[in-house]
Amino acid sequence: MLRLSNNLIGILNFLTFLLSVPILWAGIWLHRRGITECEKFLDTPLIVLGVFLLLVSLAGLVGACCRNSLLLWIYLVVMFLLILVLFFFTIFAFVVTNKGAGVVLSGKGYKEYRLGEYSHWLQKRVNSTKNWSKIKSCLMDGKVCQSLVGQGVSTTVEQFSKENLTSIKSGCCKPSNDCNFAYVSPTNWTATATSSYTNTDCKLWSNDPSVLCFNCQSCKAGLLDNIKHDWKKVAVINIIFLVVLVIVYSIGCCAFRNNREDNFMWKGP
């Protein structure tokens, strides 16, 4: 007779199996129908995650319900490795996101962002030409500056200075405050005789809506600030997920022990 731990593992893995189906389907759909570089970037991770969940859940389901000790042992090994990976990733996420913050500007509702303030590991990722080309494509496809472009000249400089811009909008959609450009509209600025170019981003700025400051260091910094906050949220969720995994792993160990005892009783002395 199957025991409670086996039933619990079976139910949990059945639910995981059901979850893996839409994830796998979404990955395959993006692979076949994805048009933009950003969409294609997501298809492989989704397919890998879907196949992983599918195989692991089947191993746990069959191992627990059919008293197959080998499959359940494989399931427990994978679960243990997953716990280790999540544990170290959570620590890593906190370490690489403990540096960096926006610079508060006097009289401005938005902040400015400096790439050098963030961890070297994150800087290296966005400074890669290959990586940034894909990231920039995603930002442009996502039309992150569209709301500012749409405001046009209807927004005065006083109104714009009070805007509470996101880190990405502040870094990618306007020139740095260091440039001292004359304001025309949120995405249209003119160099003046008093403009100084101590910041290299000033030479990279363009009023072209398809260019703006997407090639600037401030854009990379704004993205990293956004990633920093997202990773911290993910790290907190990972801690909760780790606790759940440890509980499931403990139940799985009980089910594995039950399988061995049942198989021993079945074979007899």
Side-chain angles (χ1 to χ4, degrees):
M1 180 178 178
L2 294 178
R3 304 183 187 182
L4 178 61
S5 56
N6 294 69
N7 292 333
L8 286 175
I9 288 295
I11 293 171
L12 289 172
N13 281 284
F14 178 71
L15 294 175
T16 305
F17 173 79
L18 294 179
L19 176 65
S20 69
V21 174
I23 294 176
L24 182 59
W25 179 85
I28 295 173
W29 186 87
L30 282 176
H31 180 73
R32 298 181 61 182
R33 301 291 183 89
I35 299 175
T36 66
E37 184 70 25
C38 194
E39 289 175 337
K40 292 178 181 178
F41 179 74
L42 293 173
D43 62 355
T44 301
L46 284 175
I47 291 174
V48 171
L49 178 61
V51 172
F52 174 78
L53 290 176
L54 182 68
L55 295 177
V56 172
S57 61
L58 282 176
L61 183 63
V62 176
C65 297
C66 299
R67 294 184 294 181
N68 189 311
S69 297
L70 177 60
L71 284 178
L72 196 55
W73 180 81
I74 294 174
Y75 169 77
L76 290 175
V77 169
V78 173
M79 286 286 289
F80 179 74
L81 293 176
L82 181 59
I83 290 172
L84 286 180
V85 169
L86 281 177
F87 175 75
F88 286 112
F89 172 77
T90 302
I91 294 176
F92 175 76
F94 278 117
V95 170
V96 298
T97 58
N98 69 340
K99 293 178 62 179
V103 178
V104 178
L105 301 174
S106 177
K108 307 290 184 182
Y110 51 81
K111 299 178 181 179
E112 291 208 335
Y113 301 87
R114 306 283 186 265
L115 186 60
E117 298 292 325
Y118 297 86
S119 72
H120 293 296
W121 187 88
L122 287 175
Q123 289 184 50
K124 188 176 180 180
R125 303 284 83 75
V126 295
N127 277 328
S128 166
T129 303
K130 181 180 179 181
N131 288 345
W132 186 247
S133 177
K134 293 181 179 179
I135 293 170
K136 184 170 66 173
S137 174
C138 288
L139 293 175
M140 295 175 71
D141 289 341
K143 302 184 185 303
V144 295
C145 299
Q146 188 60 43
S147 61
L148 294 182
V149 173
Q151 289 180 18
V153 294
S154 61
T155 302
T156 65
V157 64
E158 291 79 13
Q159 291 173 326
F160 180 72
S161 65
K162 296 178 182 179
E163 290 273 359
N164 184 20
L165 302 178
T166 65
S167 59
I168 292 179
K169 284 186 178 181
S170 177
C172 306
C173 307
K174 67 169 189 60
S176 169
N177 195 59
D178 298 338
C179 302
N180 295 318
F181 288 166
Y183 175 88
V184 178
S185 73
T187 56
N188 193 331
W189 302 72
T190 304
T192 64
T194 58
S195 296
S196 59
Y197 299 103
T198 55
N199 189 330
T200 56
D201 283 351
C202 299
K203 295 181 180 180
L204 298 175
W205 168 261
S206 171
N207 290 325
D208 184 342
S210 64
V211 179
L212 298 178
C213 220
F214 285 113
N215 295 314
C216 299
Q217 296 291 87
S218 63
C219 189
K220 297 175 182 179
L223 174 73
L224 291 187
D225 193 79
N226 187 69
I227 289 175
K228 171 185 172 180
H229 289 93
D230 287 345
W231 274 30
K232 284 191 173 181
K233 294 176 183 177
V234 170
V236 172
I237 294 173
N238 277 351
I239 293 174
I240 299 172
F241 190 43
L242 271 172
V243 173
V244 174
L245 280 181
V246 170
I247 294 173
V248 173
Y249 180 77
S250 301
I251 297 173
C253 289
C254 293
F256 180 71
R257 184 186 60 189
N258 292 342
N259 282 2
R260 296 191 64 181
E261 290 177 356
D262 291 342
N263 289 336
F264 178 77
M265 293 176 62
W266 179 262
K267 291 179 180 178

